[in-house]
Amino acid sequence: MTSPLVVDIHTHVYPPSYMELLRSRKTVPYIHDPANGTPRLIILSSDDDPSVPLDERGRPVDSSYSDVNVKLSFMRRHGINSSVISLANPWLDFLEPEEAQVWAERINDDLEETCARVNQAADKENTLALNEKETLFAFGSLPLSAPNPDIVVNEIKRLKTLPHLRGVIMGTSGLGKGLDDPALDPVWAALQETESLMFLHPHYGLPDEAFGGADVTNRYGHVLPLALGFPLETTIAVTRMFLSGVFDRFPGLRILLAHSGGTLPFLAGRIESCIHHERKFVANGGDQPGLQKSVWDVLQTNIYLDAVVYGTAGLKAAVTAAGSPDRLMFGTDHPFFPPLDNDQDAEWVSVTTNYKAISAAFATDKEAVEGILGGNAARILSLK
Amino acid sequence: MTSPLVVDIHTHVYPPSYMELLRSRKTVPYIHDPANGTPRLIILSSDDDPSVPLDERGRPVDSSYSDVNVKLSFMRRHGINSSVISLANPWLDFLEPEEAQVWAERINDDLEETCARVNQAADKENTLALNEKETLFAFGSLPLSAPNPDIVVNEIKRLKTLPHLRGVIMGTSGLGKGLDDPALDPVWAALQETESLMFLHPHYGLPDEAFGGADVTNRYGHVLPLALGFPLETTIAVTRMFLSGVFDRFPGLRILLAHSGGTLPFLAGRIESCIHHERKFVANGGDQPGLQKSVWDVLQTNIYLDAVVYGTAGLKAAVTAAGSPDRLMFGTDHPFFPPLDNDQDAEWVSVTTNYKAISAAFATDKEAVEGILGGNAARILSLK
């Protein structure tokens, strides 16, 4: 009897070339190498606190970020068959325009090569089923700071020629003005036309003022920016896409939202109500709504959700908003949230919490559990 | 056969004296009387857009804010028996310290008098059951800008002597530094000691930068600040209370969160996970957690949620996080979100959406529905 397929669609890497890029920098995002000890990764501006010694800023960045064998060992320990790896934030958002294309191609080629090598080693003759081996697939990164969107569109098309790429990962800033920027329309068109999934992931969080100022933000470590800032950033980004009519103009666009949609499943009803009561969305001053699709329509036709929400309460909102468990996919957020004691051989609580929540939320529905754990991802991303 | 009791615990008023106060002001919050037409209420800084003519800024403020007969007519039309009225935001947050006590007492006495008059007229001999008449109760306001917290504590104690007062409503700024301010401890102690419920309600939203700047915020009318800013403000405020140990120090504190907790039920698991992985919350560098209660504990012992979430997805998260439907209470947010066509005689979609969501989410559990509609409020707030 084989175990059901488990696919992790939310799992990050920094390929070695990306590590070198971060090491060459002195402003966020950057990697600092203390004289003694593990390199430190400073990716959030709230991490770059001048009152903290440089050697202690940010978080330790070890081989779990860049060594694919550490990823494979993590997968084995947690019963994961396939991982769809993606560059971790902040991707290539910070690059100068003239560097963007070269780095995007280099990193995406790295990802393809890594997946190809691992999958070849796992199953030379390609005779095993997905749930009988460990395999990798990847979401690519886009050169969003490139001098014109054609370069982004070309990279989306090129990714379709790389056998292990399964879409793209993107942050919330788009070309720098958010995801409701009309200049992104060629990008949405290319994603729609190539049937590429876009994994929307937070990075910038919320400004410190949202939490009451930098002293409040820092008072509780990373809890406020990570627990509240990240999910809200995702929610704001996708809501801006929705309000600007992106999903009306590109009805075939498919996006995967990190952290079960940030808070979109919970707030969808309130968003819909606020639109219904907002004059700006009543076209011609009449009864005709300015948007063709409701938030619920978008959740049930354009959006997929990961199951990285750490509890049954969030999962129940997610599956209710999605209309079906078929749109949810298991994820781990590896290598983030490791055990605090750095015991790399232990099971990670951040992973087991999500496993347990899925089992608990769908206790009586084995099909739903198996779909969320891997079946949905295999279908949606055409993994084989 | 009588209908089940329906209690609206989220319904606001501006007593006439408060209207006069707002009319006397020229900065947010204020009321502006155009030469022709309905007075305009400008309460959010995003409403006070200098590029919009003064006569068109903010929203119309009609008698539904201050005339209790309009409230009673609204209640009758929507089958509501009891309303627990509360001063609408921004309460008394903006007052100079020397004015705070006088205004708080005046407004709370106004509320008591209104409730007493209405209830006396509805049932002179006090022989009818709650679901056979229309009655009012109230949450009081606190003089939080008073020069010292004793004045706040005294008002909390005085409210217990007013027969129709059932607790207090409070915004997220507390004494000006947020709800994790240790200077609030005497206030929490007084609320706990007097067994007064505190209704926590948003007002300030998020800074425009959270949405991408003022031009983005205004692009979609009130949708972003109201649909996303408000719920996040509540979530941030209660999370700061939790992280600072308020619920460990005051285990008997009972708070009601607006809009089904903002987003707390959805994000509770992520908050708990972030704490678990945050060194600041590992006391003495060991395994001892710095907080005694988990977010789930607090949701199930200290927190009540209204059912103002406009959809089954949010309601399912709310009831799962609360551990039971017994902690949810129906609300309307009246007089906000009226029909856009200003038809005051029509049923309000903002109300029927919540009615329908409650029925749909608990279709097979009549007891849960009746509890949420009114039974829970009658029990929790000792309405009779």
Side-chain angles (χ1 to χ4, degrees):
Chain A
M1 198 179 88
T2 53
S3 305
L5 173 69
V6 179
V7 179
D8 179 0
I9 53 80
H10 188 156
T11 180
H12 300 296
V13 292
Y14 282 165
S17 55
Y18 191 79
M19 297 285 282
E20 286 313 307
L21 173 62
L22 292 181
R23 278 198 163 92
S24 73
R25 297 170 53 86
K26 299 288 173 207
T27 55
V28 169
Y30 67 101
I31 285 174
H32 166 72
D33 286 293
N36 300 302
T38 313
R40 309 290 296 186
L41 171 65
I42 299 98
I43 51 169
L44 296 172
S45 56
S46 60
D47 291 341
D48 200 22
D49 180 356
S51 73
V52 175
L54 191 55
D55 286 6
E56 292 165 26
R57 270 182 227 170
R59 67 196 74 195
V61 55
D62 56 27
S63 57
S64 66
Y65 283 73
S66 51
D67 183 344
V68 75
N69 289 316
V70 176
K71 179 78 75 188
L72 289 167
S73 154
F74 166 85
M75 288 168 62
R76 241 163 259 139
R77 201 159 58 253
H78 294 93
I80 295 163
N81 302 105
S82 273
S83 287
V84 187
I85 57 177
S86 52
L87 188 62
N89 48 308
W91 314 285
L92 307 174
D93 285 11
F94 54 90
L95 287 182
E96 294 301 319
E98 59 274 19
E99 305 174 298
Q101 181 179 2
V102 170
W103 276 105
E105 290 179 5
R106 187 165 159 193
I107 285 164
N108 291 333
D109 288 345
D110 269 5
L111 291 171
E112 169 59 29
E113 196 185 304
T114 300
C115 295
R117 181 166 38 83
V118 165
N119 295 6
Q120 166 78 359
D123 185 13
K124 210 162 191 168
E125 310 296 327
N126 201 19
T127 55
L128 298 173
L130 264 187
N131 62 337
E132 296 169 330
K133 56 187 175 183
E134 272 108 31
T135 54
L136 298 181
F137 298 88
F139 295 119
S141 287
L142 295 179
L144 290 165
S145 61
N148 73 65
D150 287 352
I151 293 172
V152 184
V153 168
N154 289 342
E155 186 61 10
I156 291 170
K157 291 178 179 167
R158 196 183 74 89
L159 289 174
K160 292 302 279 190
T161 69
L162 304 182
H164 295 90
L165 271 288
R166 286 297 182 273
V168 299
I169 187 167
M170 202 190 282
T172 62
S173 75
L175 305 173
K177 295 182 180 174
L179 301 186
D180 53 359
D181 181 358
L184 278 165
D185 275 10
V187 176
W188 306 137
L191 289 170
Q192 177 175 270
E193 187 193 321
T194 58
E195 297 183 356
S196 301
L197 189 76
M198 189 267 267
F199 181 15
L200 174 57
H201 193 288
H203 165 70
Y204 297 93
L206 293 175
D208 284 338
E209 293 68 38
F211 300 115
D215 63 319
V216 178
T217 311
N218 296 328
R219 195 176 294 163
Y220 307 111
H222 297 96
V223 175
L224 291 173
L226 286 182
L228 309 185
F230 262 35
L232 239 285
E233 181 192 350
T234 306
T235 312
I236 291 169
V238 67
T239 303
R240 286 175 61 183
M241 285 178 78
F242 169 68
L243 293 175
S244 68
V246 168
F247 299 106
D248 289 336
R249 295 200 298 286
F250 303 97
L253 192 60
R254 300 186 308 151
I255 69 175
L256 164 63
L257 297 181
H259 314 120
S260 294
T263 63
L264 186 68
F266 190 81
L267 292 180
R270 186 169 172 87
I271 295 167
E272 198 58 25
S273 179
C274 285
I275 293 169
H276 182 84
H277 293 92
E278 170 58 53
R279 264 171 224 290
K280 289 222 182 190
F281 287 95
V282 182
N284 311 317
D287 290 325
Q288 183 64 30
L291 293 169
Q292 292 158 43
K293 280 178 147 180
S294 74
V295 182
W296 304 114
D297 293 335
V298 169
L299 275 158
Q300 291 166 19
T301 57
N302 301 99
I303 289 177
Y304 300 97
L305 303 169
D306 73 24
V308 184
V309 70
Y310 309 97
T312 55
L315 274 177
K316 285 188 181 179
V319 75
T320 305
S324 153
D326 293 353
R327 306 186 76 82
L328 269 69
M329 296 183 261
F330 176 75
T332 63
D333 222 343
H334 182 262
F336 301 103
F337 306 111
L340 275 186
D341 60 8
N342 275 325
D343 180 356
Q344 293 284 338
D345 296 330
E347 279 203 324
W348 289 24
V349 170
S350 56
V351 177
T352 56
T353 301
N354 281 314
Y355 265 131
K356 283 178 194 158
I358 294 165
S359 303
F362 305 98
T364 56
D365 187 349
K366 193 173 163 232
E367 204 179 325
V369 171
E370 293 191 4
I372 294 170
L373 289 181
N376 298 342
R379 185 186 72 250
I380 294 163
L381 297 171
S382 305
L383 307 185
K384 40 187 176 257
Chain B
M1 197 179 89
T2 53
S3 306
L5 173 68
V6 179
V7 179
D8 179 0
I9 52 79
H10 189 157
T11 179
H12 300 297
V13 292
Y14 282 164
S17 55
Y18 191 79
M19 296 286 282
E20 286 313 308
L21 172 62
L22 292 182
R23 280 201 162 88
S24 73
R25 296 170 53 84
K26 298 288 173 205
T27 55
V28 169
Y30 67 101
I31 285 174
H32 166 73
D33 286 293
N36 300 302
T38 313
R40 308 290 297 187
L41 171 64
I42 299 99
I43 51 170
L44 298 171
S45 57
S46 60
D47 292 340
D48 201 22
D49 178 355
S51 73
V52 175
L54 191 54
D55 287 6
E56 293 165 24
R57 269 182 228 171
R59 67 195 75 195
V61 54
D62 56 27
S63 57
S64 67
Y65 283 71
S66 51
D67 183 344
V68 75
N69 289 317
V70 175
K71 179 79 75 188
L72 290 166
S73 154
F74 167 85
M75 289 168 61
R76 240 164 262 141
R77 200 160 57 253
H78 293 93
I80 295 163
N81 301 108
S82 273
S83 287
V84 187
I85 57 177
S86 51
L87 188 62
N89 49 307
W91 314 285
L92 307 174
D93 285 11
F94 55 89
L95 288 181
E96 294 301 319
E98 60 273 20
E99 306 174 296
Q101 181 178 5
V102 170
W103 276 105
E105 289 179 5
R106 188 167 158 192
I107 284 163
N108 291 332
D109 288 346
D110 269 6
L111 291 171
E112 169 58 28
E113 197 184 303
T114 300
C115 295
R117 180 164 39 82
V118 165
N119 295 6
Q120 167 76 0
D123 184 12
K124 209 161 192 170
E125 309 297 328
N126 201 19
T127 54
L128 299 173
L130 264 187
N131 62 339
E132 297 168 330
K133 57 188 174 183
E134 272 107 34
T135 54
L136 298 181
F137 299 88
F139 294 120
S141 286
L142 295 179
L144 290 166
S145 61
N148 74 66
D150 288 353
I151 293 171
V152 184
V153 168
N154 289 342
E155 186 62 10
I156 291 170
K157 291 179 179 164
R158 196 183 75 88
L159 288 173
K160 291 302 280 190
T161 69
L162 304 182
H164 296 88
L165 272 286
R166 286 296 182 275
V168 300
I169 186 166
M170 201 189 283
T172 62
S173 75
L175 304 172
K177 294 181 181 174
L179 301 185
D180 53 358
D181 181 358
L184 278 165
D185 275 9
V187 176
W188 307 137
L191 289 170
Q192 177 175 269
E193 187 193 322
T194 57
E195 298 181 356
S196 302
L197 189 76
M198 188 266 267
F199 182 15
L200 174 57
H201 192 288
H203 165 70
Y204 297 93
L206 293 175
D208 284 338
E209 293 68 38
F211 300 114
D215 62 320
V216 179
T217 311
N218 297 329
R219 194 176 295 164
Y220 307 111
H222 297 96
V223 174
L224 292 173
L226 286 182
L228 309 186
F230 262 35
L232 239 284
E233 180 191 351
T234 306
T235 312
I236 290 170
V238 67
T239 303
R240 287 175 59 181
M241 285 178 78
F242 169 68
L243 294 175
S244 68
V246 168
F247 300 105
D248 289 335
R249 294 200 298 286
F250 304 98
L253 191 60
R254 299 186 310 152
I255 70 175
L256 165 63
L257 298 182
H259 313 120
S260 294
T263 63
L264 187 67
F266 191 82
L267 293 180
R270 186 168 172 88
I271 294 167
E272 199 59 25
S273 178
C274 285
I275 292 169
H276 182 84
H277 293 91
E278 170 57 53
R279 267 173 220 288
K280 289 222 180 190
F281 287 95
V282 182
N284 311 316
D287 291 326
Q288 183 64 28
L291 293 168
Q292 293 156 45
K293 280 177 148 180
S294 72
V295 183
W296 305 113
D297 293 336
V298 169
L299 274 159
Q300 291 166 19
T301 58
N302 301 98
I303 288 177
Y304 300 97
L305 303 169
D306 73 23
V308 184
V309 71
Y310 308 96
T312 54
L315 274 177
K316 285 190 181 177
V319 75
T320 305
S324 150
D326 294 353
R327 305 186 77 82
L328 268 69
M329 297 183 262
F330 176 75
T332 63
D333 222 344
H334 183 262
F336 300 102
F337 306 110
L340 276 186
D341 60 7
N342 275 325
D343 180 356
Q344 292 284 335
D345 296 328
E347 277 202 325
W348 289 24
V349 170
S350 56
V351 177
T352 55
T353 301
N354 280 314
Y355 265 131
K356 284 178 194 160
I358 295 166
S359 303
F362 305 99
T364 57
D365 187 349
K366 192 174 163 230
E367 205 179 324
V369 172
E370 292 190 6
I372 295 170
L373 289 181
N376 298 342
R379 184 185 74 250
I380 293 163
L381 298 171
S382 306
L383 307 185
K384 44 188 175 253

